[in-house]
Amino acid sequence: MLTETLSLTAADKFYDRFQGDLSEYSSSFLNGLSGAALISAYLGAHAGAKFVSLKEQLLTEVMERLRSGNLKLSTLHTFCSGLAGIVYVIDHLRENGLADNRFDDDTLIQLSDLFLERSLADFKARNTDYLHGPLGVFLSLLPHTRIAQVARTLDVIFDTYQKQLRTDEKGSRIFNSVLEGQLESGEYNMGLAHGMAGHALLWTEAYRRGYRPEATRQLAYDLLQYIDTYERSPIGEQSATHVFYPKSVIEDDPEAWAEQKTETYVSRVGWCYGDLNVAFAQLKAGRTFEDEKLEQRGLALARHVAGRLDAYDAQIDENIYFCHGSAGLVYMFGCLKKAYPGEAAFDRACRHWAEHFRTTLETPRYEELTGYQNYSLLEGLPGAVLGTLSLESPGLLPAADAFLLNL
């Protein structure tokens, strides 16, 4: 059961947010009712019947919107804000015995055709994003490869992605047009949310699930090779705040790279980007491909990042949310603790960021939440609740595959 501190603050605030009129909320996974339903399902299993009722209320609303065509989605197909994320939630809840809803094969075929059309349009615009583009669609459809049309959609997405890769002696990288403030070409993001670390994690997951194993394995290695090209120095005697990998790389404009190179090696400890992302990619690939050397490199990097416990240095400050706040770090180090239970550094980091979460949540700035803070799983209250469930129920890390953190 949840402790008084958490239940009377984050979880109960979350419950109150989704009472009454739901029309103001999106139906989506990361910004709306589907994500809230997933969290409610886990709270229902661990914190009381009222959350079971909330889950049922939210799922009923989402399914009714789908039946009526009143989708209330900001994008039609994406993992973050569209139908792909809803497919993931429905599959996840059913597979974990938390709900009975499902999409039948005919519906999945129709969605697959829609997803393919939209994904190809994304690729044409050089959008290769996970949250907001074709890769999240790919992940949501992976459980349904037994359906021929779905398998074809996956193949076209994968083949189109490979055609847009830039591959040479440095490894493989791919441009992502979703990111603002970057050069029009020749700049490559390294992060989990929008860049190479996330792509390596996703293709490793595809390998794990049996999708084109030879090709996905090679692709994951090629992406990690590119990331390693820009490792600033090997693990050794660096300061506790040393950053090993850049946030992004500019290849085709030497003057711009020279100007930004120093700054790009200053990064946060968080889910969205930074060295902890690279550590997860190395660890997952090492464990999946039985590559002990790569896994040990990932462990060394993760241990180093676990020592960055100053909130200012980690660029957390007073943020308690999932994307770049302490709830996300409780979750990430919880995943590491679960995979490596003997590692004291991960336990220490998890406890440190849990204390940051608890004390910061009590500050006046979190007494009244506004706008997206009420509904965003990455940057709001729902993600703060989900990210800290393991504090009360050790090992409870819902939807780790959705965040590309399932080691």
Side-chain angles (χ1 to χ4, degrees), residues 5 61 79 104 107 114 130 133 139 157 185 189 211 231-232 270 278 317 325 336 342 344 377 395 400:
T5 299
E61 175 70 16
F79 197 74
D104 60 34
T107 300
L114 170 65
Y130 167 55
L139 183 67
I157 290 174
S185 64
N189 185 272
Y211 180 80
E231 183 184 21
R232 189 158 56 160
V278 178
D317 298 323
L336 289 167
L377 214 155

Side-chain angles (χ1 to χ4, degrees), residues 213-245:
E214 184 176 343
T216 49
R217 182 182 187 277
Q218 186 62 54
L219 179 52
Y221 269 114
D222 288 346
L223 291 164
L224 288 171
Q225 179 185 337
Y226 182 76
I227 293 172
D228 277 342
T229 298
Y230 292 90
E231 183 184 21
R232 189 158 56 160
S233 57
I235 294 283
E237 301 298 324
Q238 292 82 5
S239 70
T241 60
H242 184 80
V243 173
F244 290 88
Y245 295 94

Side-chain angles (χ1 to χ4, degrees), residues 77-79 84-85 129-141 202:
H77 68 297
T78 67
F79 197 74
D129 205 62
Y130 167 55
L131 296 178
H132 310 296
L135 296 200
V137 167
F138 186 96
L139 183 67
S140 74
L141 291 178
L202 189 143

